[in-house]
Amino acid sequence: MRMLKKFVLAFTLLITTFVCAIVIGAADTTIKDVWLAITAPETNKIATMIHEVRLPREVAAVVVGAALAVAGAIMQGMTRNPLADPGLIGLTAGANAALAIVFAFFPSTNYIQTVLACFAGAAFGGLLVFSAGGKQFSPFRIVLAGAAISTFLYAVAEGIGLLYKVSKDVSMWTAGGMMGTTWHELKIVTPFICLAMLIAFWQSRQLTILSMSEEVAVGLGQQLTRVKAILFFVVIVLAGASVALVGNLAFVGLMIPHLVRSFVGTDYRFILPMSAIGGATFMLFADTIARMIHAPYETPVVAVVAVMGLPFFLFIVRKGEKGL
């Protein structure tokens, strides 16, 4: 019952933040305008603006925030590494490099194919990082390897962009913001993210066992290779889809699972769904700040997230957690 109350409170906070994010903006709007935008988007210009600009943008914030937070929680549980995050260990950098390759060599690629390319790039980046450390992969070594591989992949993307004159296209796509998100993009990406999260919730009990230690997991009869393959696939889909939708965002997958554990404990049956709610709420909050901090001009949401995330990252490093 206590856990149910926590979920109800978290979900209420998410709904409240979502409504505030829709209402607050450079253009003055009201709850009535939001209702008209949902029920009759062509009633007036304000309703049309909300329906075509703000609503898809904030839905993207919810989807991406949830995806990155769940991906981060899974990675931290799989590797028992408190510093694991899709943006810090090569996944988003790999997806970014894949985007550059697609723009340079396959300019006629449609959006679905671009999303699939991001999945492949995320998988490649993650495999490079994990293979760089061999079997013994300490938390700090994985971050160092992730930083090195990410820098290399970003350099590859930038080099391809400069050589083939697509740097502007790549930068506009991967700037790390929800501005310009359309319903068409959401209809393509959201099913991938929802399916991946359902698989993650299905494997949450196995992830809890795996987060203890591999020895315990084997002792309890867990098929390590199968479970890790499923979870790694889920992380690739979540990270790749997020980059395809809004670009590169680090620290979300690092911060939210840590904060969530302080409320729900170490059972991933509760950590994953609460991380989804927490990540969505955080991204709505960050995007609202990015829109309003210098209205009517926008501050890149990636900068807002970095300002919040970097001190948290340094805190975790100094704390030197040994496990989850």
Short mmCIF file of all heavy atoms in Angstrom, two decimals, residues 103-171:
data_model
loop_
_atom_site.label_atom_id
_atom_site.label_comp_id
_atom_site.label_asym_id
_atom_site.label_seq_id
_atom_site.Cartn_x
_atom_site.Cartn_y
_atom_site.Cartn_z
N PHE A 103 23.05 10.73 -43.31
CA PHE A 103 22.89 12.01 -44.01
C PHE A 103 23.90 12.16 -45.14
O PHE A 103 23.59 12.76 -46.18
CB PHE A 103 23.05 13.17 -43.02
CG PHE A 103 21.89 13.33 -42.08
CD1 PHE A 103 22.05 13.95 -40.86
CD2 PHE A 103 20.63 12.85 -42.41
CE1 PHE A 103 20.99 14.10 -39.99
CE2 PHE A 103 19.56 12.99 -41.56
CZ PHE A 103 19.74 13.62 -40.33
N ALA A 104 25.11 11.61 -44.95
CA ALA A 104 26.16 11.79 -45.95
C ALA A 104 26.00 10.82 -47.13
O ALA A 104 26.16 11.23 -48.29
CB ALA A 104 27.53 11.61 -45.30
N PHE A 105 25.70 9.56 -46.83
CA PHE A 105 25.73 8.54 -47.88
C PHE A 105 24.34 8.09 -48.35
O PHE A 105 24.22 7.53 -49.44
CB PHE A 105 26.51 7.33 -47.39
CG PHE A 105 27.94 7.63 -47.05
CD1 PHE A 105 28.35 7.72 -45.73
CD2 PHE A 105 28.88 7.86 -48.06
CE1 PHE A 105 29.67 8.01 -45.41
CE2 PHE A 105 30.20 8.15 -47.74
CZ PHE A 105 30.60 8.23 -46.42
N PHE A 106 23.32 8.32 -47.52
CA PHE A 106 21.97 7.89 -47.89
C PHE A 106 20.98 9.03 -47.65
O PHE A 106 20.10 8.93 -46.79
CB PHE A 106 21.56 6.65 -47.07
CG PHE A 106 22.59 5.54 -47.10
CD1 PHE A 106 23.48 5.38 -46.05
CD2 PHE A 106 22.66 4.69 -48.19
CE1 PHE A 106 24.42 4.35 -46.07
CE2 PHE A 106 23.60 3.66 -48.22
CZ PHE A 106 24.49 3.50 -47.16
N PRO A 107 21.13 10.12 -48.37
CA PRO A 107 20.32 11.32 -48.11
C PRO A 107 18.82 11.13 -48.34
O PRO A 107 18.02 11.89 -47.81
CB PRO A 107 20.88 12.35 -49.10
CG PRO A 107 21.53 11.54 -50.18
CD PRO A 107 22.07 10.32 -49.50
N SER A 108 18.44 10.12 -49.10
CA SER A 108 17.01 9.91 -49.38
C SER A 108 16.35 8.97 -48.36
O SER A 108 15.19 8.59 -48.53
CB SER A 108 16.83 9.34 -50.79
OG SER A 108 17.50 8.09 -50.91
N THR A 109 17.08 8.61 -47.32
CA THR A 109 16.55 7.70 -46.30
C THR A 109 15.33 8.30 -45.60
O THR A 109 15.34 9.48 -45.25
CB THR A 109 17.64 7.39 -45.25
OG1 THR A 109 18.75 6.78 -45.91
CG2 THR A 109 17.12 6.45 -44.19
N ASN A 110 14.29 7.50 -45.40
CA ASN A 110 13.11 8.00 -44.69
C ASN A 110 13.31 7.92 -43.18
O ASN A 110 14.33 7.41 -42.70
CB ASN A 110 11.84 7.25 -45.13
CG ASN A 110 11.91 5.76 -44.81
OD1 ASN A 110 12.46 5.34 -43.80
ND2 ASN A 110 11.34 4.94 -45.70
N TYR A 111 12.32 8.39 -42.43
CA TYR A 111 12.49 8.52 -40.98
C TYR A 111 12.61 7.16 -40.30
O TYR A 111 13.41 6.99 -39.37
CB TYR A 111 11.32 9.30 -40.38
CG TYR A 111 11.54 9.68 -38.94
CD1 TYR A 111 12.44 10.69 -38.61
CD2 TYR A 111 10.87 9.03 -37.92
CE1 TYR A 111 12.66 11.03 -37.28
CE2 TYR A 111 11.07 9.37 -36.59
CZ TYR A 111 11.98 10.37 -36.28
OH TYR A 111 12.20 10.71 -34.96
N ILE A 112 11.82 6.19 -40.74
CA ILE A 112 11.90 4.85 -40.12
C ILE A 112 13.30 4.26 -40.31
O ILE A 112 13.88 3.68 -39.38
CB ILE A 112 10.84 3.92 -40.72
CG1 ILE A 112 9.43 4.41 -40.37
CG2 ILE A 112 11.03 2.49 -40.23
CD1 ILE A 112 8.32 3.56 -40.94
N GLN A 113 13.86 4.39 -41.50
CA GLN A 113 15.20 3.88 -41.76
C GLN A 113 16.24 4.62 -40.93
O GLN A 113 17.23 4.03 -40.48
CB GLN A 113 15.51 4.00 -43.26
CG GLN A 113 14.66 3.08 -44.13
CD GLN A 113 14.79 3.39 -45.61
OE1 GLN A 113 15.04 4.53 -46.00
NE2 GLN A 113 14.59 2.38 -46.45
N THR A 114 16.02 5.92 -40.72
CA THR A 114 16.93 6.69 -39.88
C THR A 114 16.89 6.19 -38.44
O THR A 114 17.94 6.08 -37.78
CB THR A 114 16.56 8.19 -39.92
OG1 THR A 114 16.61 8.65 -41.27
CG2 THR A 114 17.52 9.01 -39.07
N VAL A 115 15.70 5.88 -37.95
CA VAL A 115 15.57 5.34 -36.59
C VAL A 115 16.31 4.01 -36.47
O VAL A 115 17.04 3.77 -35.50
CB VAL A 115 14.09 5.16 -36.23
CG1 VAL A 115 13.93 4.42 -34.90
CG2 VAL A 115 13.39 6.52 -36.14
N LEU A 116 16.15 3.15 -37.47
CA LEU A 116 16.84 1.85 -37.45
C LEU A 116 18.36 2.04 -37.49
O LEU A 116 19.11 1.30 -36.84
CB LEU A 116 16.38 1.00 -38.64
CG LEU A 116 14.91 0.58 -38.61
CD1 LEU A 116 14.55 -0.18 -39.89
CD2 LEU A 116 14.60 -0.27 -37.38
N ALA A 117 18.82 3.04 -38.25
CA ALA A 117 20.26 3.35 -38.28
C ALA A 117 20.74 3.78 -36.91
O ALA A 117 21.86 3.42 -36.48
CB ALA A 117 20.54 4.44 -39.32
N CYS A 118 19.92 4.55 -36.19
CA CYS A 118 20.29 4.96 -34.83
C CYS A 118 20.39 3.75 -33.90
O CYS A 118 21.29 3.70 -33.04
CB CYS A 118 19.27 5.95 -34.28
SG CYS A 118 19.36 7.59 -34.99
N PHE A 119 19.50 2.77 -34.06
CA PHE A 119 19.60 1.54 -33.27
C PHE A 119 20.94 0.86 -33.52
O PHE A 119 21.64 0.43 -32.59
CB PHE A 119 18.47 0.58 -33.62
CG PHE A 119 17.10 1.07 -33.24
CD1 PHE A 119 15.96 0.51 -33.82
CD2 PHE A 119 16.92 2.07 -32.32
CE1 PHE A 119 14.70 0.94 -33.46
CE2 PHE A 119 15.66 2.52 -31.95
CZ PHE A 119 14.55 1.95 -32.54
N ALA A 120 21.29 0.73 -34.80
CA ALA A 120 22.55 0.07 -35.16
C ALA A 120 23.74 0.84 -34.61
O ALA A 120 24.70 0.24 -34.09
CB ALA A 120 22.65 -0.06 -36.68
N GLY A 121 23.71 2.16 -34.72
CA GLY A 121 24.80 2.98 -34.21
C GLY A 121 24.95 2.88 -32.71
O GLY A 121 26.07 2.80 -32.18
N ALA A 122 23.82 2.86 -31.99
CA ALA A 122 23.87 2.72 -30.54
C ALA A 122 24.46 1.37 -30.15
O ALA A 122 25.28 1.28 -29.22
CB ALA A 122 22.46 2.87 -29.96
N ALA A 123 24.07 0.32 -30.86
CA ALA A 123 24.61 -1.01 -30.58
C ALA A 123 26.12 -1.04 -30.81
O ALA A 123 26.88 -1.58 -30.00
CB ALA A 123 23.93 -2.05 -31.46
N PHE A 124 26.56 -0.44 -31.91
CA PHE A 124 27.99 -0.42 -32.24
C PHE A 124 28.78 0.34 -31.18
O PHE A 124 29.83 -0.13 -30.71
CB PHE A 124 28.19 0.23 -33.61
CG PHE A 124 29.62 0.31 -34.04
CD1 PHE A 124 30.32 -0.82 -34.40
CD2 PHE A 124 30.27 1.54 -34.09
CE1 PHE A 124 31.65 -0.75 -34.80
CE2 PHE A 124 31.59 1.62 -34.48
CZ PHE A 124 32.29 0.48 -34.84
N GLY A 125 28.26 1.50 -30.76
CA GLY A 125 28.95 2.28 -29.74
C GLY A 125 29.04 1.55 -28.42
O GLY A 125 30.09 1.52 -27.78
N GLY A 126 27.93 0.93 -28.01
CA GLY A 126 27.95 0.18 -26.76
C GLY A 126 28.89 -1.00 -26.79
O GLY A 126 29.62 -1.26 -25.83
N LEU A 127 28.91 -1.74 -27.90
CA LEU A 127 29.80 -2.89 -28.02
C LEU A 127 31.26 -2.46 -27.99
O LEU A 127 32.11 -3.16 -27.41
CB LEU A 127 29.49 -3.65 -29.32
CG LEU A 127 28.16 -4.43 -29.33
CD1 LEU A 127 27.88 -5.00 -30.71
CD2 LEU A 127 28.18 -5.54 -28.28
N LEU A 128 31.57 -1.33 -28.62
CA LEU A 128 32.94 -0.83 -28.58
C LEU A 128 33.39 -0.55 -27.15
O LEU A 128 34.50 -0.91 -26.74
CB LEU A 128 33.07 0.45 -29.42
CG LEU A 128 33.21 0.30 -30.94
CD1 LEU A 128 33.32 1.68 -31.58
CD2 LEU A 128 34.43 -0.55 -31.29
N VAL A 129 32.52 0.09 -26.38
CA VAL A 129 32.87 0.45 -25.01
C VAL A 129 33.04 -0.80 -24.15
O VAL A 129 34.04 -0.94 -23.43
CB VAL A 129 31.80 1.38 -24.39
CG1 VAL A 129 32.04 1.57 -22.90
CG2 VAL A 129 31.79 2.72 -25.10
N PHE A 130 32.11 -1.73 -24.25
CA PHE A 130 32.19 -2.92 -23.41
C PHE A 130 33.36 -3.82 -23.81
O PHE A 130 33.97 -4.46 -22.97
CB PHE A 130 30.88 -3.71 -23.47
CG PHE A 130 29.80 -3.12 -22.61
CD1 PHE A 130 28.80 -2.35 -23.16
CD2 PHE A 130 29.81 -3.31 -21.24
CE1 PHE A 130 27.80 -1.80 -22.38
CE2 PHE A 130 28.82 -2.76 -20.43
CZ PHE A 130 27.81 -2.00 -21.01
N SER A 131 33.67 -3.87 -25.11
CA SER A 131 34.80 -4.70 -25.54
C SER A 131 36.13 -4.07 -25.20
O SER A 131 37.14 -4.77 -25.07
CB SER A 131 34.72 -4.94 -27.05
OG SER A 131 34.83 -3.72 -27.77
N ALA A 132 36.15 -2.75 -25.01
CA ALA A 132 37.42 -2.07 -24.71
C ALA A 132 37.97 -2.45 -23.35
O ALA A 132 39.18 -2.37 -23.13
CB ALA A 132 37.23 -0.55 -24.79
N GLY A 133 37.11 -2.87 -22.43
CA GLY A 133 37.57 -3.14 -21.08
C GLY A 133 37.82 -4.60 -20.77
O GLY A 133 38.29 -4.92 -19.68
N GLY A 134 37.51 -5.49 -21.69
CA GLY A 134 37.70 -6.90 -21.42
C GLY A 134 36.71 -7.40 -20.40
O GLY A 134 35.62 -6.84 -20.22
N LYS A 135 37.05 -8.44 -19.70
CA LYS A 135 36.14 -9.07 -18.74
C LYS A 135 36.06 -8.30 -17.43
O LYS A 135 35.00 -8.22 -16.80
CB LYS A 135 36.57 -10.52 -18.47
CG LYS A 135 36.45 -11.43 -19.68
CD LYS A 135 36.84 -12.85 -19.33
CE LYS A 135 36.69 -13.78 -20.54
NZ LYS A 135 37.06 -15.17 -20.22
N GLN A 136 37.18 -7.74 -16.99
CA GLN A 136 37.19 -6.98 -15.75
C GLN A 136 36.90 -5.52 -16.07
O GLN A 136 37.74 -4.83 -16.61
CB GLN A 136 38.55 -7.13 -15.04
CG GLN A 136 38.91 -8.56 -14.68
CD GLN A 136 37.90 -9.18 -13.72
OE1 GLN A 136 37.39 -8.52 -12.83
NE2 GLN A 136 37.61 -10.45 -13.93
N PHE A 137 35.71 -5.06 -15.72
CA PHE A 137 35.28 -3.73 -16.14
C PHE A 137 34.78 -2.97 -14.92
O PHE A 137 33.61 -3.05 -14.56
CB PHE A 137 34.18 -3.87 -17.18
CG PHE A 137 34.30 -2.87 -18.30
CD1 PHE A 137 35.45 -2.16 -18.52
CD2 PHE A 137 33.21 -2.66 -19.14
CE1 PHE A 137 35.55 -1.26 -19.56
CE2 PHE A 137 33.29 -1.77 -20.19
CZ PHE A 137 34.47 -1.07 -20.40
N SER A 138 35.66 -2.24 -14.25
CA SER A 138 35.27 -1.49 -13.07
C SER A 138 34.41 -0.30 -13.47
O SER A 138 34.45 0.16 -14.61
CB SER A 138 36.52 -0.99 -12.34
OG SER A 138 37.16 0.02 -13.10
N PRO A 139 33.63 0.25 -12.52
CA PRO A 139 32.77 1.38 -12.82
C PRO A 139 33.52 2.56 -13.43
O PRO A 139 33.04 3.19 -14.37
CB PRO A 139 32.17 1.74 -11.46
CG PRO A 139 32.14 0.44 -10.73
CD PRO A 139 33.38 -0.28 -11.17
N PHE A 140 34.68 2.88 -12.88
CA PHE A 140 35.40 4.05 -13.39
C PHE A 140 36.08 3.75 -14.72
O PHE A 140 36.22 4.62 -15.57
CB PHE A 140 36.42 4.51 -12.34
CG PHE A 140 35.77 4.95 -11.07
CD1 PHE A 140 35.75 4.13 -9.96
CD2 PHE A 140 35.14 6.18 -11.00
CE1 PHE A 140 35.12 4.53 -8.80
CE2 PHE A 140 34.51 6.59 -9.83
CZ PHE A 140 34.51 5.76 -8.72
N ARG A 141 36.46 2.51 -14.93
CA ARG A 141 37.07 2.15 -16.21
C ARG A 141 36.05 2.22 -17.34
O ARG A 141 36.38 2.64 -18.46
CB ARG A 141 37.67 0.75 -16.12
CG ARG A 141 38.53 0.40 -17.33
CD ARG A 141 39.25 -0.92 -17.12
NE ARG A 141 40.09 -1.24 -18.25
CZ ARG A 141 40.82 -2.34 -18.36
NH1 ARG A 141 40.81 -3.22 -17.37
NH2 ARG A 141 41.56 -2.57 -19.42
N ILE A 142 34.82 1.83 -17.05
CA ILE A 142 33.80 1.88 -18.09
C ILE A 142 33.51 3.32 -18.48
O ILE A 142 33.24 3.63 -19.64
CB ILE A 142 32.52 1.15 -17.65
CG1 ILE A 142 31.61 0.91 -18.86
CG2 ILE A 142 31.74 1.93 -16.61
CD1 ILE A 142 30.39 0.06 -18.53
N VAL A 143 33.56 4.24 -17.50
CA VAL A 143 33.34 5.65 -17.80
C VAL A 143 34.49 6.21 -18.63
O VAL A 143 34.28 6.97 -19.59
CB VAL A 143 33.16 6.47 -16.51
CG1 VAL A 143 33.13 7.96 -16.81
CG2 VAL A 143 31.86 6.06 -15.82
N LEU A 144 35.71 5.82 -18.31
CA LEU A 144 36.87 6.28 -19.09
C LEU A 144 36.80 5.74 -20.51
O LEU A 144 37.04 6.48 -21.48
CB LEU A 144 38.17 5.83 -18.41
CG LEU A 144 38.51 6.52 -17.08
CD1 LEU A 144 39.75 5.88 -16.46
CD2 LEU A 144 38.74 8.00 -17.30
N ALA A 145 36.48 4.46 -20.63
CA ALA A 145 36.35 3.88 -21.97
C ALA A 145 35.20 4.54 -22.73
O ALA A 145 35.31 4.83 -23.92
CB ALA A 145 36.10 2.37 -21.87
N GLY A 146 34.10 4.81 -22.03
CA GLY A 146 32.97 5.47 -22.66
C GLY A 146 33.32 6.86 -23.14
O GLY A 146 32.93 7.26 -24.24
N ALA A 147 34.07 7.60 -22.34
CA ALA A 147 34.48 8.95 -22.74
C ALA A 147 35.37 8.89 -23.98
O ALA A 147 35.22 9.69 -24.91
CB ALA A 147 35.20 9.64 -21.59
N ALA A 148 36.31 7.93 -23.99
CA ALA A 148 37.23 7.83 -25.13
C ALA A 148 36.49 7.42 -26.40
O ALA A 148 36.67 8.04 -27.47
CB ALA A 148 38.33 6.82 -24.80
N ILE A 149 35.65 6.39 -26.31
CA ILE A 149 34.92 5.92 -27.48
C ILE A 149 33.93 6.98 -27.96
O ILE A 149 33.77 7.21 -29.17
CB ILE A 149 34.18 4.60 -27.17
CG1 ILE A 149 35.19 3.48 -26.82
CG2 ILE A 149 33.30 4.18 -28.33
CD1 ILE A 149 36.14 3.13 -27.94
N SER A 150 33.26 7.64 -27.03
CA SER A 150 32.31 8.68 -27.41
C SER A 150 33.00 9.82 -28.14
O SER A 150 32.50 10.32 -29.15
CB SER A 150 31.59 9.22 -26.16
OG SER A 150 30.78 8.22 -25.58
N THR A 151 34.16 10.22 -27.62
CA THR A 151 34.92 11.29 -28.29
C THR A 151 35.30 10.88 -29.70
O THR A 151 35.20 11.67 -30.66
CB THR A 151 36.19 11.62 -27.48
OG1 THR A 151 35.81 12.04 -26.16
CG2 THR A 151 36.98 12.74 -28.16
N PHE A 152 35.73 9.62 -29.84
CA PHE A 152 36.10 9.11 -31.17
C PHE A 152 34.90 9.12 -32.12
O PHE A 152 35.00 9.59 -33.26
CB PHE A 152 36.66 7.70 -31.03
CG PHE A 152 36.80 6.97 -32.35
CD1 PHE A 152 37.80 7.32 -33.25
CD2 PHE A 152 35.93 5.95 -32.69
CE1 PHE A 152 37.92 6.67 -34.47
CE2 PHE A 152 36.06 5.28 -33.90
CZ PHE A 152 37.05 5.65 -34.79
N LEU A 153 33.76 8.64 -31.64
CA LEU A 153 32.57 8.56 -32.49
C LEU A 153 32.03 9.95 -32.85
O LEU A 153 31.59 10.18 -33.97
CB LEU A 153 31.48 7.73 -31.81
CG LEU A 153 31.79 6.23 -31.68
CD1 LEU A 153 30.72 5.53 -30.85
CD2 LEU A 153 31.91 5.58 -33.04
N TYR A 154 32.10 10.87 -31.89
CA TYR A 154 31.69 12.24 -32.21
C TYR A 154 32.63 12.86 -33.24
O TYR A 154 32.20 13.63 -34.11
CB TYR A 154 31.65 13.10 -30.94
CG TYR A 154 30.44 12.86 -30.08
CD1 TYR A 154 30.57 12.60 -28.71
CD2 TYR A 154 29.17 12.91 -30.61
CE1 TYR A 154 29.46 12.37 -27.92
CE2 TYR A 154 28.05 12.68 -29.83
CZ TYR A 154 28.21 12.42 -28.47
OH TYR A 154 27.09 12.20 -27.70
N ALA A 155 33.92 12.53 -33.12
CA ALA A 155 34.88 13.04 -34.10
C ALA A 155 34.61 12.46 -35.48
O ALA A 155 34.71 13.17 -36.50
CB ALA A 155 36.30 12.68 -33.65
N VAL A 156 34.25 11.17 -35.53
CA VAL A 156 33.89 10.56 -36.81
C VAL A 156 32.68 11.26 -37.41
O VAL A 156 32.66 11.59 -38.60
CB VAL A 156 33.59 9.05 -36.61
CG1 VAL A 156 32.95 8.46 -37.86
CG2 VAL A 156 34.87 8.29 -36.26
N ALA A 157 31.67 11.49 -36.58
CA ALA A 157 30.47 12.17 -37.06
C ALA A 157 30.78 13.57 -37.56
O ALA A 157 30.30 14.00 -38.63
CB ALA A 157 29.43 12.24 -35.94
N GLU A 158 31.62 14.29 -36.82
CA GLU A 158 31.97 15.65 -37.23
C GLU A 158 32.81 15.64 -38.50
O GLU A 158 32.61 16.48 -39.39
CB GLU A 158 32.75 16.34 -36.09
CG GLU A 158 32.99 17.82 -36.31
CD GLU A 158 31.71 18.63 -36.30
OE1 GLU A 158 30.72 18.18 -35.68
OE2 GLU A 158 31.69 19.71 -36.93
N GLY A 159 33.73 14.68 -38.60
CA GLY A 159 34.55 14.59 -39.81
C GLY A 159 33.71 14.29 -41.04
O GLY A 159 33.89 14.90 -42.11
N ILE A 160 32.78 13.35 -40.91
CA ILE A 160 31.89 13.03 -42.03
C ILE A 160 31.03 14.25 -42.38
O ILE A 160 30.82 14.58 -43.55
CB ILE A 160 30.99 11.83 -41.68
CG1 ILE A 160 31.83 10.56 -41.58
CG2 ILE A 160 29.89 11.64 -42.73
CD1 ILE A 160 31.07 9.35 -41.10
N GLY A 161 30.57 14.95 -41.35
CA GLY A 161 29.74 16.13 -41.59
C GLY A 161 30.48 17.22 -42.34
O GLY A 161 29.93 17.83 -43.27
N LEU A 162 31.72 17.44 -41.96
CA LEU A 162 32.51 18.47 -42.64
C LEU A 162 32.88 18.05 -44.06
O LEU A 162 32.82 18.86 -45.00
CB LEU A 162 33.79 18.76 -41.84
CG LEU A 162 33.60 19.46 -40.49
CD1 LEU A 162 34.90 19.50 -39.72
CD2 LEU A 162 33.05 20.88 -40.70
N LEU A 163 33.26 16.79 -44.22
CA LEU A 163 33.71 16.31 -45.53
C LEU A 163 32.57 16.30 -46.55
O LEU A 163 32.77 16.66 -47.72
CB LEU A 163 34.30 14.90 -45.38
CG LEU A 163 34.94 14.30 -46.63
CD1 LEU A 163 36.12 15.15 -47.10
CD2 LEU A 163 35.40 12.88 -46.35
N TYR A 164 31.39 15.92 -46.09
CA TYR A 164 30.25 15.80 -47.01
C TYR A 164 29.25 16.95 -46.86
O TYR A 164 28.14 16.88 -47.39
CB TYR A 164 29.55 14.46 -46.81
CG TYR A 164 30.39 13.29 -47.26
CD1 TYR A 164 31.25 12.64 -46.37
CD2 TYR A 164 30.35 12.85 -48.58
CE1 TYR A 164 32.03 11.58 -46.78
CE2 TYR A 164 31.14 11.79 -48.99
CZ TYR A 164 31.98 11.16 -48.10
OH TYR A 164 32.77 10.11 -48.51
N LYS A 165 29.65 17.96 -46.09
CA LYS A 165 28.84 19.18 -45.94
C LYS A 165 27.44 18.90 -45.39
O LYS A 165 26.43 19.45 -45.88
CB LYS A 165 28.76 19.93 -47.28
CG LYS A 165 30.10 20.42 -47.78
CD LYS A 165 29.96 21.16 -49.10
CE LYS A 165 31.28 21.79 -49.53
NZ LYS A 165 32.35 20.80 -49.71
N VAL A 166 27.37 18.05 -44.38
CA VAL A 166 26.09 17.78 -43.73
C VAL A 166 26.14 18.10 -42.23
O VAL A 166 25.27 17.68 -41.46
CB VAL A 166 25.66 16.30 -43.92
CG1 VAL A 166 25.36 16.02 -45.38
CG2 VAL A 166 26.72 15.34 -43.38
N SER A 167 27.17 18.85 -41.83
CA SER A 167 27.33 19.18 -40.41
C SER A 167 26.12 19.89 -39.84
O SER A 167 25.68 19.62 -38.71
CB SER A 167 28.58 20.05 -40.21
OG SER A 167 29.74 19.33 -40.48
N LYS A 168 25.56 20.83 -40.62
CA LYS A 168 24.41 21.58 -40.14
C LYS A 168 23.22 20.66 -39.92
O LYS A 168 22.51 20.78 -38.92
CB LYS A 168 24.05 22.68 -41.14
CG LYS A 168 22.91 23.56 -40.68
CD LYS A 168 22.63 24.68 -41.68
CE LYS A 168 21.49 25.56 -41.21
NZ LYS A 168 21.20 26.65 -42.17
N ASP A 169 23.00 19.72 -40.84
CA ASP A 169 21.88 18.79 -40.71
C ASP A 169 22.02 17.93 -39.46
O ASP A 169 21.07 17.73 -38.71
CB ASP A 169 21.78 17.89 -41.95
CG ASP A 169 21.46 18.68 -43.21
OD1 ASP A 169 20.78 19.71 -43.09
OD2 ASP A 169 21.89 18.26 -44.29
N VAL A 170 23.24 17.42 -39.24
CA VAL A 170 23.48 16.57 -38.08
C VAL A 170 23.32 17.38 -36.79
O VAL A 170 22.70 16.92 -35.83
CB VAL A 170 24.89 15.94 -38.15
CG1 VAL A 170 25.17 15.13 -36.87
CG2 VAL A 170 25.01 15.04 -39.37
N SER A 171 23.88 18.59 -36.77
CA SER A 171 23.80 19.43 -35.57
C SER A 171 22.36 19.80 -35.24
O SER A 171 21.95 19.78 -34.07
CB SER A 171 24.63 20.71 -35.77
OG SER A 171 25.99 20.40 -35.94
#
